[in-house]
Amino acid sequence: MSRMSRHGDLNRRKVPARGPPPAYAQPVLRILDAKSGETVPAVSARRALTRVEVHTSGYDLTALRVLLTTDLLLRALELGGTPVLPLLTADHHQAELHAAATTLGIRPFEDGRDLAAGLGEAQVVRVTAAAGTVPGTGTVPGTGTVPGTGVTVAVAPADGPDAGVLGTLDDPAALRLALLDAPRGTAVHLGAGALDAAGRRLGRLRQSVAQWARSPSRPVPEKVRGRLRDAWEDDLDVPGVLGVLRWMENQPEIPDGARFETCAYADRLLALDLTRDLGRTA
């Protein structure tokens, strides 16, 4: 066989088999639009700049939940290849909301109205608090009419301790987990002990991640990656994402190194600092 024919044979073997790409590789983030009551693509063009506007008032747990939902949306869009510009519009407590966002590991927001007006050509998603929606009217109860085109994401209320509790927590990620660990359309009540329980749960998961990190690294299994993407691309289903992590722990065929990489990958969305305890002694 000639040298040329050997090279040709090698080149032919390097061509990957054709076939449909995995579902998680597609820009399929879908979200419930509060204005229409229908589940729609969050953005119409994946690589177009997307203005994500937060509309909130007051400084309470509901406002913090709105900020956290927006952070999830920003992360999910960026993981799908969409550039984002986050803007915060608040009638009051702007400084407190910015500080809380920093404490909770939320991406920084630009201050809103004037900058948004100069970016009229960008596609837009709006996130706001609401007790419910009125399909087809463009009105979100408790916020008035949400103007303009684009998708509106409504976030159910949260109550419990005063938002000032954030400044008393040794680990603010416990509040992040407690507020995210319910479907976005379901009201959340943080009763006595809820934050302690969330902190213990988070601590156990971090200890497991640190233990798994001692094993040789392995890729995230495709079936696990697909289940994670299916969850967060389905209306930002964070409880579903957390459920996948719990399911993964009980799959003996998944190596510890792959469990670690899976948690690190999921934390790009969750931002719970799951790898914080790496290298710490017990």
Side-chain angles (χ1 to χ4, degrees):
M1 180 181 293
S2 70
R3 181 176 182 182
M4 181 176 294
S5 64
R6 287 198 304 270
H7 285 183
D9 187 56
L10 287 172
N11 288 336
R12 282 194 297 273
R13 286 199 294 269
K14 290 179 182 177
V15 177
R18 293 184 180 276
Y24 63 79
Q26 304 301 308
V28 292
L29 174 61
R30 296 180 64 81
I31 207 84
L32 180 65
D33 183 5
K35 291 193 294 183
S36 68
E38 298 180 353
T39 300
V40 299
V43 295
S44 57
R46 185 179 62 149
R47 298 194 181 279
L49 176 64
T50 298
R51 192 171 74 236
V52 180
E53 298 180 0
V54 187
H55 297 265
T56 189
S57 60
Y59 180 60
D60 55 16
L61 288 185
T62 296
L64 297 185
R65 195 182 188 196
V66 171
L67 295 183
L68 284 169
T69 300
T70 306
D71 189 53
L72 289 176
L73 176 62
L74 293 168
R75 292 171 183 274
L77 289 172
E78 288 184 330
L79 284 166
T82 300
V84 294
L85 175 64
L87 302 176
L88 172 61
T89 299
D91 296 331
H92 306 287
H93 304 287
Q94 191 101 352
E96 292 93 334
L97 291 168
H98 279 290
T102 299
T103 302
L104 286 168
I106 294 171
R107 303 291 181 87
F109 294 102
E110 300 287 346
D111 288 317
R113 300 181 189 275
D114 294 337
L115 184 54
L119 294 168
E121 297 304 316
Q123 55 190 358
V124 60
V125 182
R126 297 176 178 87
V127 186
T128 187
T133 61
V134 180
T137 67
T139 300
V140 179
T143 63
T145 300
V146 179
T149 60
V151 175
T152 297
V153 179
V155 181
D159 64 24
D162 185 88
V165 72
L166 185 58
T168 70
L169 298 176
D170 293 332
D171 184 3
L175 179 58
R176 183 179 179 105
L177 175 60
L179 288 175
L180 293 179
D181 193 21
R184 188 185 68 253
T186 302
V188 170
H189 174 71
L190 299 185
L195 294 181
D196 288 340
R200 290 192 297 271
R201 180 180 168 193
L202 187 55
R204 288 192 295 269
L205 181 54
R206 285 171 173 164
Q207 288 175 7
S208 294
V209 170
Q211 179 66 36
W212 297 331
R214 297 176 184 175
S215 298
S217 178
R218 294 290 185 269
V220 178
E222 293 301 323
K223 67 176 181 179
V224 179
R225 188 189 298 267
R227 290 181 68 155
L228 288 171
R229 295 299 293 254
D230 287 346
W232 81 56
E233 289 173 348
D234 180 14
D235 202 31
L236 295 175
D237 181 10
V238 173
V241 171
L242 294 169
V244 172
L245 297 185
R246 289 193 296 272
W247 167 83
M248 177 197 68
E249 291 189 56
N250 297 315
Q251 303 305 305
E253 75 276 11
I254 298 178
D256 283 353
R259 298 181 202 272
F260 166 76
E261 294 294 348
T262 296
C263 289
Y265 173 69
D267 209 35
R268 295 172 64 186
L269 177 82
L270 299 172
L272 293 172
D273 202 9
L274 296 182
T275 61
R276 190 187 73 172
D277 291 346
L278 265 64
R280 293 190 180 185
T281 58

